[in-house]
Amino acid sequence: MAYNETRVTICGNVASPVTHTKVGTGFSRAKFRLFSAERIWDQEDRSWSDGSRMFLTVSCWRMLADNAQVSLNKGDPVVVTGRLTIKEVEFEGKRQPVVELEATAIGPNLALCTAMPIRTKHTPDSVEARAAPEIVAPRDPDQLPSAVVRDAEQPKEVAEVPF
């Protein structure tokens, strides 16, 4: 963590498919677009109306990227915490700001959905990566289980709850 970095938490919906790549160092990176819309309560009319809307790019690394790729689908309600950055890019001859969120944690928004967590099996380097991510060597693709379920943690059938 850096001094004076902008850390935020945003609730929204996954607005694009999650893309998963390996960068030159061999680490996993996942990216997706996040949509967040403000809802405003009008006390006089006693009704909700639409407010500001925002799209931004979320990127995440290593084990978070691997888990995001197998867990998230377009439309899923999520809560994302991370470091907010605004970059200027040139698009059609104009410099435009691009908002990006480098996620440190992503989870389902349980106010809008239900979830059943499945713990992934930790390899020794993934545990070390939490303590010092900058010094851990990347894992081989065959060492990256997408979601390994232990016998005791197998999900049981859950009846759908009508809303």
Side-chain angles (χ1 to χ4, degrees):
M1 189 153 64
Y3 184 69
N4 279 346
E5 67 182 4
T6 305
R7 309 219 23 102
V8 298
T9 299
I10 298 177
C11 296
N13 292 76
V14 177
S16 70
V18 178
T19 59
H20 188 268
T21 58
K22 295 280 186 185
V23 296
T25 58
F27 289 115
S28 298
R29 178 179 66 192
K31 282 188 164 191
F32 62 91
R33 297 283 288 164
L34 181 71
F35 171 72
S36 182
E38 180 181 45
R39 298 285 289 160
I40 301 169
W41 175 253
D42 187 339
Q43 187 65 36
E44 291 179 11
D45 292 343
R46 301 196 49 78
S47 64
W48 289 97
S49 61
D50 290 334
S52 301
R53 296 173 181 215
M54 174 178 60
F55 282 91
L56 58 101
T57 299
V58 175
S59 64
C60 52
W61 297 88
R62 298 178 179 83
M63 198 159 102
L64 180 57
D66 297 335
N67 291 339
Q69 192 262 331
V70 298
S71 302
L72 299 178
N73 295 301
K74 187 174 177 180
D76 288 346
V78 292
V79 178
V80 181
T81 297
R83 185 174 54 129
L84 187 70
T85 58
I86 301 174
K87 302 174 184 175
E88 288 207 2
V89 297
E90 192 164 325
F91 182 72
E92 296 180 354
K94 295 180 184 177
R95 300 206 41 89
Q96 296 184 349
V98 174
V99 180
E100 188 166 317
L101 180 58
E102 185 176 331
T104 54
I106 303 170
N109 185 346
L110 297 180
L112 301 172
C113 70
T114 60
M116 186 168 300
I118 300 172
R119 294 182 188 222
T120 54
K121 185 176 179 181
H122 296 290
T123 59
D125 68 325
S126 69
V127 175
E128 292 170 13
R130 292 177 179 193
E134 64 280 353
I135 62 170
V136 177
R139 292 182 277 175
D140 293 327
D142 59 333
Q143 294 176 326
L144 293 172
S146 296
V148 176
V149 180
R150 296 183 190 131
D151 292 335
E153 297 175 335
Q154 294 250 349
K156 296 170 181 61
E157 287 196 32
V158 178
E160 285 193 35
V161 179
F163 288 98

